[in-house]
Amino acid sequence: MKKINFSAGPAILPASVLTQAAAAVENLDGSGLSILEISHRSDAFDAVLVEAEQLVRELLNVGDEYGVLFLSGGASTQFFFTAMNLLNPEETAGYLDTGSWSAKAIKEAKNFGKVNIIASSKESNYDHIPRGYTVPDGLKYVHLTSNNTIFGTQFKEWPETDAPLVADMSSDIFSRRIPLEKFGIIYAGAQKNLGPAGATLVIVRKDLLGKVNRTLPSMLDYRVHIDGGSTYNTPPVYPIYVMMLTLRWIKAQGGLEGMEKHNERKAKLLYEEIDRNPKFRGTVADDFSRSQMNVTFVCTDEADTAAFQAAAEAAGCDGITGHRSVGGFRASIYNSMPYEGVETLVRVMREFE
């Protein structure tokens, strides 16, 4: 029995993508070479990069005023990369503190300029997305983490501000439609909704760059990577190839509109069962904050935890253990999770009841 991968990341990939990616390891498109051994300067990989960028632009409606980059280093590198490229020491950026990843981004940004924490849910263990806050004027940018994998929360509305938004979308990129014009930078590690670990997608508005006073090392300057077409240094070839395959798959599913409907349907099924079933309760404080990507819940009676874990694993549900800071369970139901996978978990919950 193939297991159903509910892991928070690296995470589930579409079955068709896995098949194509596996075949390319042996022989890329009949070239006689493995995707693992082709040059990043070859025509074959250039075609991969071109198609991957075209699909990003098509799916998110990204215009020429933005650069699209495929980098390494993960979202954690972007925590400082963004501030280093945008923020002067005398300037202030606004940050929304909604979880572990936003807290790390705040820590890194303080190395380069002033940070104003506009709103935070830290005092309640990040169990909700703050509302009712006011974004002050004069900020260089406003940073947020759109979906919080650990705590199971997600932004459903974007901050009202004239400042460009900078967003870590690692765990919900391409899961729904977004108003791209509000964003100055979007970055996302690939290993949730895009592909295997090792590549990072960055979408950056070009007119925001070149305005800091510090000297930027070449590898940490967005402009260098834009000019180099993501090949200033050797990029993560295989992860980018799998990203391209996944983007093709997303387009074939109806693009972001199709993904949005798919994800809403899955999340609705699971949350309704959590709310109905007396054996379980959700950990997020309100419906507005609930994530459609990472569903967190606990057993009403903590003594049931081990038994339910065993029942879920026996049914092939893998990776549902919650993060240690929340406990209980976390079902990550990213784009690639089929509806049937969520149905299996819900069936286990009902049988357990």
Side-chain angles (χ1 to χ4, degrees), residues 4-8 316-320 330-333 337 341-342 345:
I4 306 167
N5 185 7
F6 287 96
S7 173
C317 299
D318 186 70
I320 66 165
R330 172 176 55 181
S332 297
I333 54 174
M337 173 62 67
V342 179
L345 180 58

Side-chain angles (χ1 to χ4, degrees), residues 85-106:
N85 278 260
L86 298 186
L87 191 62
N88 282 307
E90 71 279 5
E91 294 173 327
T92 302
Y95 276 71
L96 292 160
D97 179 23
T98 56
S100 299
W101 305 117
S102 60
K104 290 181 179 181
I106 289 167

